[in-house]
Amino acid sequence: MRIGVLTGGGDCPGLNAAIRAIVRKGVEHCGHEFVGYRDGWRGPLEADSRPLGVPEVRGILPRGGTILGSSRTNPFAEDGGVAKIAANLAQAGVDGLIAIGGEDTLRVAARLHEEEGIHVVGVPKTIDNDLNATDYTFGFDTAVNIAMEAIDRLHTTADSHHRVLIVEVMGRHAGWIAFHAGLAGGANVILIPEQRFDVERVCEFVGRRFESRYAPIIVVAEGAEPVGGVPEAGDDKLDAFGHVRLGGIAHWLEGEIERRTGKETRATVLGHVQRGGTPTAFDRVLATRFGLHAVDAVGSGRWGTMTALRGTDIQLVQLTEATAELKVVPEALFGEAEVFFG
Ligand code: F6P
């Protein structure tokens, strides 16, 4: 078979490990041929591809980013986009696609399969860990470790200067990174999009922390919102999937805390640092296993499915199930972190 591979949406550590596993197993054990589509759905839309054989995937296991490039192109938002993809795949003799992506990329994959009959197998990735139907996505563990290390470092400088330090992490609708990194890094307050926060209560935690000889560290997810009002968004640029570019909650909070408590407060926005660089062992192994199982799914004609981690097993789930709703941090789980607030 001739299979196209693409990586879409925000990149994350582990994408190259997944591509390598797909190609190594597919070529050496199953006799498939691969076409690497560039920049997510833009590749098949514009017939922009590159060779993807064993020599091309040598040495890429530990490398961050994606050798295929990525974009947030949405073929359903382009005039005649879906028909162009079908025609380009037929022209290139491509029998099916392995789409590696998050919520948006895999939602496109699900629709292409359901509505157009295009053969697609999905592989879930995102640092946000917000895809339903899989216990973890790769990229998440690396992002959490980067954020945890930042929190560890912020603790020592916050204590030296008796300052409140706020660290803003990614997480548009789900606070998984904030929750895990905050718990692992001993944050004094964690704020997530799933639960609106009360600024007065945050200031109480700040005051309580200063009663010890230590300074407070606040971890805030970029999508977190205060009770009674959304602060101004970073800017109002929308991407092809209609998402506003976030960022800015930490700086808003910085002003509020300083004004209400009189304590010097500074914000650090981790941003894309969380998505770059080499993957952790956990993410390399998960990405590799997802890649191997995606090739099995192709071989057995299980189109319209996605690889998923369930416990320690990799299973296949329907793409429609995986993309129907986001996986958010449950209230009871968040309660476990609240024990350490203040
Ligand atoms: O990959 C998802 C994500 O990490 C979100 O948490 C974040 O809002 C978004 O990517 C930002 O991505 P970009 O800056 O590439 O648009």
Side-chain angles (χ1 to χ4, degrees), residues 1-3 22 25-27 29-34 95-98 119-122 290-305 307 316:
M1 268 196 275
R2 193 165 154 80
I3 305 298
I22 290 167
K25 176 153 187 178
V27 172
H29 295 265
C30 310
H32 299 322
E33 235 178 80
F34 291 93
D95 302 298
L97 292 172
I98 296 179
H119 289 166
V120 192
V121 165
F290 277 165
L292 299 177
H293 283 259
V295 171
D296 290 342
V298 164
S300 50
R302 299 283 308 277
W303 305 113
T305 62
T307 57
L316 292 179

Side-chain angles (χ1 to χ4, degrees), residues 10 72 126-128 170-172 222 272 275:
R72 295 192 188 272
T126 161
I127 64 164
D128 295 339
M170 282 188 172
R172 177 177 290 277
E222 62 183 346
H272 296 89
R275 292 215 314 236

Side-chain angles (χ1 to χ4, degrees), residues 144-156 167 177-190 209 215-219 337 340:
V144 166
N145 276 286
I146 291 167
M148 179 194 72
E149 193 191 325
I151 295 167
D152 287 348
R153 290 173 186 279
L154 290 173
H155 272 298
T156 62
V167 55
I177 297 177
F179 174 74
H180 277 246
L183 197 57
N188 307 107
V189 183
I190 302 171
R209 176 70 169 175
I217 302 292
I218 299 171
V219 179
F340 304 98

Side-chain angles (χ1 to χ4, degrees), residues 55 65 87 91 110 169 174 188 207-208 214 218 237 260 268 277 289 309:
Q91 167 84 29
V169 298
N188 307 107
R208 205 192 298 167
Y214 297 107
I218 299 171
K237 274 181 88 175
R260 291 169 191 240
T268 301
R289 294 185 71 206
L309 181 69

